[in-house]
Amino acid sequence: MTSTSSHKSASISWPAPAKLNLFLHVTGQRADGYHELQTLFQFIDHCDYLDFHITDTPDLVLHSNISDSVADSDNLILKAAKSLQRYAQYEGGAHIWLDKLLPMGGGLGGGSSDAATTLVALNALWKTNLSPSKLAKIGLTLGADVPVFINGFSAFAEGVGEKLITVEPTESWYLVIVPDVHVSTKDIFQDPDLPRNTPKVDINTLMTQKWTNDCQKLVTTRHPQVANALSWLVEYAPSRMTGTGACVFGEFTHSQQALDALAELPADMRGFVAKGMNKSPLQIRLEQL
């Protein structure tokens, strides 16, 4: 492919947004080891960004600012591209650039979001024309959180997180604190002390009761950095952990309230302010095509 045609096939950056679990209940464990959940996903306007140049050759090449920390064989972006290539029997390939802004191991879903954006963007750019449900099916083989990012709307999720019902929680402002620790989702879900028997509740009840995260107590016990961030943040706003951590978030009505709290953040903590979004930045980008 000539440089001119390659340039024409380049895209404007595609966002891979973070998510928050506004609540997370572990309601059981299946025979295959996976956990049954009830959770509420909402996106925030804090994203990784990916660029794609499609090529005539089948090679898939990732250029990234984190190349040294994740082996290509483990990288969800390359796994997603290869899965789509294989499923659609597409003969071309792509060069992919990742600008990694979301913390790894933070419970914000960065890796899953990167995979989802790769599937959605390449499906559009390669013109493979798979439906969102087909993309979600591919995405589920990469990770339980990938389908919600492909779906593109805030959702109440059950099963392992793949059974989605679109909902519209309040689009609050959030102060997200990023503790300096990597929490392994696998370790948390394998820990015998994790509660696994929270009663299932219907969606209408869940949307109106006080929201909690069943993983929070275990993670704060194991990781003092998470406990410290939470105990500081809860002085300013209703706060809890997202996913299996490490990130914690406080919920504010106005952006200025969140920014004022951020200005008080202790020197040994880092964080950012973000807006809750019930329509994903990725979905908005897709609609602009």
Side-chain angles (χ1 to χ4, degrees), residues 120-266:
V120 168
L122 287 178
N123 186 51
L125 296 168
W126 283 345
K127 297 184 169 56
T128 41
N129 300 321
L130 297 186
S131 67
S133 61
K134 288 248 173 67
L135 291 178
K137 190 176 168 187
I138 298 170
L140 188 59
T141 67
L142 302 167
D145 285 352
V146 179
V148 76
F149 289 107
I150 291 169
N151 183 50
F153 296 92
S154 289
F156 169 66
E158 293 188 293
V160 297
E162 86 289 5
K163 296 174 186 168
L164 304 173
I165 299 170
T166 300
V167 290
E168 293 196 349
T170 303
E171 293 183 324
S172 299
W173 287 88
Y174 300 104
L175 170 52
V176 181
I177 298 181
V178 185
D180 189 18
V181 59
H182 184 292
V183 177
S184 162
T185 297
K186 187 178 175 186
D187 288 353
I188 297 305
F189 277 118
Q190 286 180 346
D191 195 302
D193 292 335
L194 178 71
R196 294 176 168 83
N197 55 359
T198 298
K200 283 193 179 182
V201 183
D202 71 88
I203 182 171
N204 295 324
T205 305
L206 282 168
M207 294 300 284
T208 55
Q209 68 183 28
K210 186 175 181 231
W211 292 344
T212 58
N213 181 334
D214 284 348
C215 301
Q216 185 170 299
K217 186 179 178 191
L218 175 61
V219 175
T220 52
T221 302
R222 288 176 58 151
H223 299 285
Q225 303 96 317
V226 180
N228 293 342
L230 201 54
S231 62
W232 182 86
L233 189 56
V234 81
E235 296 293 320
Y236 291 84
S239 306
R240 56 203 169 277
M241 190 179 75
T242 179
T244 53
C247 291
V248 299
F249 63 96
E251 202 169 321
F252 297 83
T253 308
H254 303 291
S255 60
Q256 195 55 52
Q257 296 168 315
L259 290 165
D260 289 346
L262 177 64
E264 301 292 325
L265 197 65

Side-chain angles (χ1 to χ4, degrees), residues 63-74:
H63 311 268
S64 154
N65 56 344
I66 56 149
S67 299
D68 296 339
S69 55
V70 181
D72 278 1
S73 57
D74 295 328

